[in-house]
Amino acid sequence: MEPVSVGLIGAGPWAERAHAPMLVKSPYLRFAGVWARRPEAAAGLGAPVFERVEELFDACEAVAFCVPPAVQAELGVRAARAGKALLLEKPLADSLENARRLADAVREAGVASQLVLTMRYTSQVRAFLARCAGIEAFGGHAANISNVLLGGHPFGTPWRLERGALLDVGPHVIDLLDAALGPVTGVRAHGNSLGWTGLLLDHEGGAVSEASLCMAAAGDLPPSSIAVYGRTGNAVLLPGDDDPFVTIAEEFARTVREGGGHPLDAAHGLRLQRIIAEAETQLGTP
């Protein structure tokens, strides 16, 4: 399979830690260049730096995004209309309206898209979900607790400080419960996205689940957890050390080259954004 030429938009900590190394190392991708608001940061990522985003589009077949959700929503539409396949970060956008606009642009342009829900690309999660499929699951719970909002954290970026855990880690947790127990059909939320957020999720088929999200906790914190219970057994997600970006790169290249779509595409990201938007409305979050 011929490597897919990919341009990167963004040069922040996550781009430096994850996206750029993936593009440099993967035999399935070719790192075509970078565009970022800070050219000096982009210069250290290992590819040509473009002054204009349109020049980056001209140099690649696909675009990987590593920018705040509002920027992804804006530039993702432009990339799709330019005919580029999209490797998108979660959340899809900063609002339901912008997520819908981006998903519509992807659909109308007929371009491939894939969402970087990192946990879904690890062998541990895939084994966990396979186990969930065989236990007649009816309920589960998940927790994702961190200190990102307390100050000094490299990922304490403005949009996270403003919107909190629900928009940041919510897509990961909701997506896993959705995959394990069936499509989410309803959500009830309480708490505060900048403090503690509790979610009660209803799933197609009658299963229910609870999720606890927080990015403002101090001290020694437990690892993230998820467990699912069923009539014939239970499943607990075990820790692992897979590099999800190895699999992300291969699957994205195959999505672009072979077509047929990817289950974690822009449409899936829009469905997650609808759930988050409903929860944010209940919490009174913009």
Side-chain angles (χ1 to χ4, degrees):
M1 181 172 62
E2 182 183 356
V4 175
S5 61
V6 181
L8 176 61
I9 291 181
W14 191 232
E16 183 179 8
R17 180 179 298 186
H19 286 67
M22 173 190 70
L23 293 171
V24 168
K25 296 175 184 178
S26 175
Y28 301 99
L29 306 176
R30 180 177 65 80
F31 198 176
V34 188
W35 178 87
R37 289 173 293 181
R38 296 182 299 119
E40 68 279 6
L45 297 183
V49 178
F50 291 90
E51 292 186 5
R52 298 173 58 249
V53 71
E54 291 81 7
E55 295 173 343
L56 178 68
F57 293 163
D58 290 341
C60 64
E61 303 169 76
V63 179
F65 290 84
C66 198
V67 288
V71 180
Q72 175 168 276
E74 175 193 352
L75 296 182
V77 169
R78 291 168 63 181
R81 290 174 177 169
K84 307 305 172 183
L86 308 181
L87 185 62
L88 298 159
E89 264 295 342
K90 59 78 203 166
L92 191 62
D94 59 321
S95 68
L96 181 56
E97 179 183 359
N98 285 339
R100 186 179 293 114
R101 185 179 296 114
L102 176 51
D104 286 349
V106 169
R107 176 179 51 80
E108 291 164 5
V111 297
S113 65
Q114 189 171 313
L115 205 62
V116 180
L117 288 161
T118 49
M119 298 178 71
R120 289 289 294 275
Y121 297 91
T122 66
S123 59
Q124 292 81 13
V125 164
R126 291 180 173 183
F128 165 75
L129 293 177
R131 171 71 175 158
C132 291
I135 61 173
E136 299 180 30
F138 55 76
H141 60 75
N144 190 304
I145 315 300
S146 75
N147 63 0
V148 170
L149 301 184
L150 293 186
H153 195 284
F155 294 110
T157 51
W159 72 268
R160 290 181 173 92
L161 294 173
E162 178 185 357
R163 300 289 288 276
L166 186 54
L167 192 63
D168 185 19
V169 298
H172 287 302
V173 175
I174 294 168
D175 172 65
L176 281 181
L177 291 169
D178 181 272
L181 290 161
V184 172
T185 58
V187 58
R188 282 155 282 175
H190 65 99
N192 181 337
S193 212
L194 297 179
W196 190 278
T197 300
L199 302 177
L200 177 63
L201 303 173
D202 299 316
H203 298 263
E204 189 177 282
V208 295
S209 62
E210 297 87 30
S212 297
L213 311 175
C214 179
M215 295 169 62
D220 293 332
L221 299 171
S224 299
S225 63
I226 180 170
V228 169
Y229 300 88
R231 294 174 180 82
T232 62
N234 62 80
V236 177
L237 179 58
L238 300 175
D241 57 2
D242 280 13
D243 178 359
F245 283 88
V246 173
T247 304
I248 289 168
E250 180 176 359
E251 292 191 5
F252 183 58
R254 294 194 184 283
T255 297
V256 175
R257 287 283 178 254
E258 298 175 5
H262 192 279
L264 304 180
D265 61 3
H268 182 73
L270 175 59
R271 193 164 67 82
L272 294 177
Q273 194 103 26
R274 288 195 183 103
I275 299 165
I276 290 166
E278 174 60 27
E280 285 192 321
T281 298
Q282 294 175 25
L283 294 176
T285 304

